Amino acid sequence: MSRDTPTASLDAARSGPVPRHVAIIMDGNGRWAGRRDLPRWEGHRAGMSSVREVIEGAAEAGVAHLTLYAFSEENWSRPAEEVDALMALLEEYVETQRAELSEKGIRVTVFGNLDMLSPAARSAIADLERTTSEGAALEVHLAISYGSRGEIVEAARALARRAADGELDPDDIDAERLASALYTDAWPDPDLLIRTSGEMRISNFLLWQLAYAELYITDVLWPDFTREHLFGALVDFRGRDRRYGSVRT
Ligand code: IPE
Ligand code: IPE
Ligand code: MG
């Protein structure tokens, strides 16, 4: 099945309400490289310019939160040379983008099972978070070494520990309290989920938080995704009828 890949202008994107929080599964780097007979890491490198595009585009359009799925916990099972290339690109991204992000008022936070990362990668992340911590134009949340089931299991464990210590009555555990034990506690749930490259799946991304997100799947491969594609998704979102299980009266 092939889906439309509409683009829109910034004016069109801004001509009505925009989602507060957009999340993106940035998929298709490997296919982009494969079509050009290039090694997969070349696709990941090319994908970095799309990261820049959507960050700038989201800020221009007035989105408040942008969450980007950069590396899943399952991605650790890829060949070592691909994982190493991705980690090297992460460090390069921080090195080359840090100052510009900070100047543009972009605040970056990183979440996931960061214990799995090398000390060099962890220190690059800490540096990025520190340098951009004053940003108020747009919050970018990068999911790295992230898996949603693991996140929910960890949240359940943290609540169980508090209950076992007598600090929390198990009957007081509700959706709000569970949500507050997730990485994403401080942010609103995503309103719009974009996935590039056409796969119709969530791949262990924000399972809890996406409960009522609108889904937007495009065949465009991630390295080909531009801000105009993002604006197209924002315009499409505006046409959605979000009912949250209720009916229009
Ligand atoms: C997304 O592109 C980037 C990561 C998962 C790190 P892929 O590498 O999954 O690209 P495809 O899906 O093989 O084309
Ligand atoms: C999801 O893409 C993870 C990221 C984009 C970081 P994958 O390419 O890993 O997902 P699957 O294997 O198609 O489900
Ligand atoms: Mg993929």
Side-chain angles (χ1 to χ4, degrees):
M1 184 171 72
S2 180
R3 279 158 293 268
D4 282 350
T5 54
T7 55
S9 66
L10 177 59
D11 281 350
R14 289 178 63 107
S15 66
V18 290
R20 254 177 105 195
H21 186 170
V22 177
I24 308 183
I25 300 177
M26 309 186 290
D27 197 20
N29 295 347
R31 276 163 279 180
W32 185 93
R35 285 178 197 176
R36 288 163 178 75
D37 271 333
L38 294 169
R40 289 178 61 85
W41 68 265
E42 293 268 22
H44 298 311
R45 171 177 287 288
M48 278 170 56
S49 52
S50 297
V51 171
R52 211 169 150 201
E53 277 278 305
V54 294
I55 290 177
E56 287 177 7
E60 287 166 358
V63 169
H65 296 265
L66 177 68
T67 296
L68 301 175
Y69 202 7
F71 190 83
S72 75
E73 266 188 317
E74 289 78 16
N75 290 151
W76 289 113
S77 67
R78 293 190 179 195
E81 64 170 6
E82 181 170 351
V83 171
D84 290 349
L86 279 160
M87 293 300 141
L89 280 173
L90 170 66
E91 288 172 47
E92 183 183 320
Y93 176 79
V94 172
E95 192 60 43
T96 57
Q97 299 296 301
R98 192 177 40 196
E100 193 180 315
L101 289 163
S102 163
E103 270 159 36
K104 291 189 169 143
I106 315 279
R107 178 176 186 185
V108 185
T109 51
V110 179
F111 66 103
N113 185 2
L114 303 184
D115 290 346
M116 301 279 288
L117 298 175
S118 68
R122 277 205 301 272
S123 113
I125 286 168
D127 193 20
L128 178 63
E129 291 186 325
R130 202 170 35 243
T131 316
T132 62
S133 64
E134 302 294 316
L138 167 70
E139 286 197 42
V140 172
H141 313 296
L142 285 182
I144 295 179
S145 185
Y146 173 80
S148 186
R149 285 185 167 180
E151 174 188 38
I152 294 169
V153 166
E154 194 44 59
R157 259 193 215 132
L159 295 176
R161 254 184 242 119
R162 291 185 52 207
D165 290 347
E167 287 170 28
L168 178 65
D169 181 344
D171 288 334
D172 286 341
I173 297 176
D174 55 9
E176 201 182 324
R177 207 176 282 263
L178 198 139
S180 74
L182 301 174
Y183 294 120
T184 50
D185 174 31
W187 320 323
D189 284 342
D191 302 292
L192 173 64
L193 173 72
I194 298 172
R195 181 167 186 149
T196 56
S197 305
E199 308 298 352
M200 307 276 272
R201 56 178 172 258
I202 302 285
S203 302
N204 203 15
F205 188 45
L206 301 176
L207 301 178
W208 173 280
Q209 298 88 338
L210 291 171
Y212 270 103
E214 295 297 322
L215 309 183
Y216 183 91
I217 292 162
T218 166
D219 284 335
V220 177
L221 303 177
W222 178 248
D224 294 327
F225 195 82
T226 62
R227 75 186 73 194
E228 286 75 24
H229 289 112
L230 172 69
F231 298 154
L234 299 182
V235 169
D236 183 276
F237 172 82
R238 205 171 294 144
R240 304 289 180 94
D241 181 15
R242 302 184 82 189
R243 290 190 293 275
Y244 301 97
S246 191
V247 289
R248 297 263 161 244
T249 49

